[in-house]
Amino acid sequence: GDSVTQMEGPVTLSEEAFLTINCTYTATGYPSLFWYVQYPGEGLQLLLKATKADDKGSNKGFEATYRKETTSFHLEKGSVQVSDSAVYFCALTVGAAGNKLTFGGGTRVLVKP
Amino acid sequence: EAGVTQSPTHLIKTRGQQATLRCSPISGHTSVYWYQQALGLGLQFLLWYDEGEERNRGNFPPRFSGRQFPNYSSELNVNALELEDSALYLCASSPLGQGRETQYFGPGTRLLVL
């Protein structure tokens, strides 16, 4: 079956530090890859996505590149802010009609001033 | 453009009761998905509805059921509630055609079973 593995948190950083959250996947077909973010007490927000190999998704200073050869989709941000404190989920979906999302376990990020 | 909306925001029930959760997708989206986020269990896929039909179902017992209405809104029903059903229930929608692989989530309904 499909699965997503992401680094366990929590990840604690100082403001303006560099953030990397590792994500690797296994998929039965050709997946689309996503990063979602969940702020405390809220639902999920789509952060970025990539639908084919070598695509780079980017949004709000975050980036992730779809690496088919290493089955990875690592999330990076060059300079984090306190407002980036949240839980980040890597996810994939396989199928022409979208179908279900398979999520990683989530990584809690805490940015301290 | 309005996002996915869910109601109620919070729901408190006792064991054995039934819960009904509602979801309105983004205008123009025809697919609705339901997910459960239980403490310690992560995000689990529950159900997928498209064009009024159930298209896929996760590994949940039959007491979890739902439907999709002609206006594409959806209900999730949980019968014979158990304590472990306490969770955040998230609804998502996706469009028809271009971008249909991308799901957009609502704020969730937090269900507490006492």
Side-chain angles (χ1 to χ4, degrees):
Chain A
D2 302 330
S3 68
V4 176
T5 302
Q6 61 182 107
M7 58 191 291
E8 290 190 21
V11 174
T12 304
L13 303 164
S14 297
E15 219 168 11
E16 299 183 3
F18 185 87
L19 170 67
T20 300
I21 304 176
N22 290 337
C23 171
T24 57
Y25 67 88
T26 59
T28 53
Y30 199 116
S32 294
L33 302 174
F34 305 85
W35 278 99
Y36 285 89
V37 59
Q38 187 173 35
Y39 298 101
E42 298 185 10
L44 297 179
Q45 292 182 24
L46 176 66
L47 184 57
L48 53 84
K49 69 177 185 179
T51 58
K52 60 183 189 297
D54 300 325
D55 271 1
K56 177 187 282 189
S58 61
N59 186 27
K60 299 181 181 179
F62 290 90
E63 291 183 342
T65 301
Y66 189 144
R67 301 287 188 201
K68 196 168 189 293
E69 64 277 13
T70 55
T71 61
S72 64
F73 193 54
H74 305 321
L75 182 69
E76 297 181 336
K77 186 174 184 182
S79 177
V80 293
Q81 305 300 313
V82 172
S83 57
D84 294 324
S85 298
V87 180
Y88 293 81
F89 291 92
C90 185
L92 66 82
T93 187
V94 178
N99 216 317
K100 66 175 185 178
L101 278 164
T102 299
F103 287 92
T107 301
R108 184 175 299 278
V109 173
L110 177 60
V111 181
K112 296 185 174 180
Chain B
E1 179 183 86
V4 177
T5 59
Q6 293 187 243
S7 64
T9 54
H10 292 81
L11 191 57
I12 301 175
K13 295 285 186 179
T14 56
R15 199 168 47 183
Q17 286 189 313
Q18 179 196 40
T20 298
L21 289 63
R22 297 180 176 82
C23 172
S24 290
I26 292 171
S27 178
H29 287 194
T30 61
S31 279
V32 170
Y33 307 79
W34 288 95
Y35 293 85
Q36 182 196 65
Q37 187 177 27
L39 201 61
L41 294 178
L43 282 148
Q44 304 290 324
F45 167 74
L46 261 168
L47 291 159
W48 170 32
Y49 290 95
D50 184 62
E51 297 286 352
E53 300 286 331
E54 183 180 302
R55 302 295 184 183
N56 198 2
R57 182 182 185 85
N59 189 25
F60 282 84
R63 58 191 186 81
F64 286 84
S65 65
R67 54 180 173 166
Q68 186 178 33
F69 299 99
N71 66 353
Y72 303 113
S73 67
S74 176
E75 269 183 7
L76 173 68
N77 294 293
V78 188
N79 294 319
L81 284 164
E82 300 179 1
L83 296 179
E84 51 265 34
D85 296 334
S86 295
L88 180 66
Y89 289 84
L90 293 165
C91 173
S93 71
S94 68
L96 190 66
Q98 182 79 10
R100 59 186 179 274
E101 74 286 341
T102 303
Q103 296 179 27
Y104 299 88
F105 284 80
T109 293
R110 195 166 294 278
L111 173 64
L112 177 61
V113 182
L114 301 174

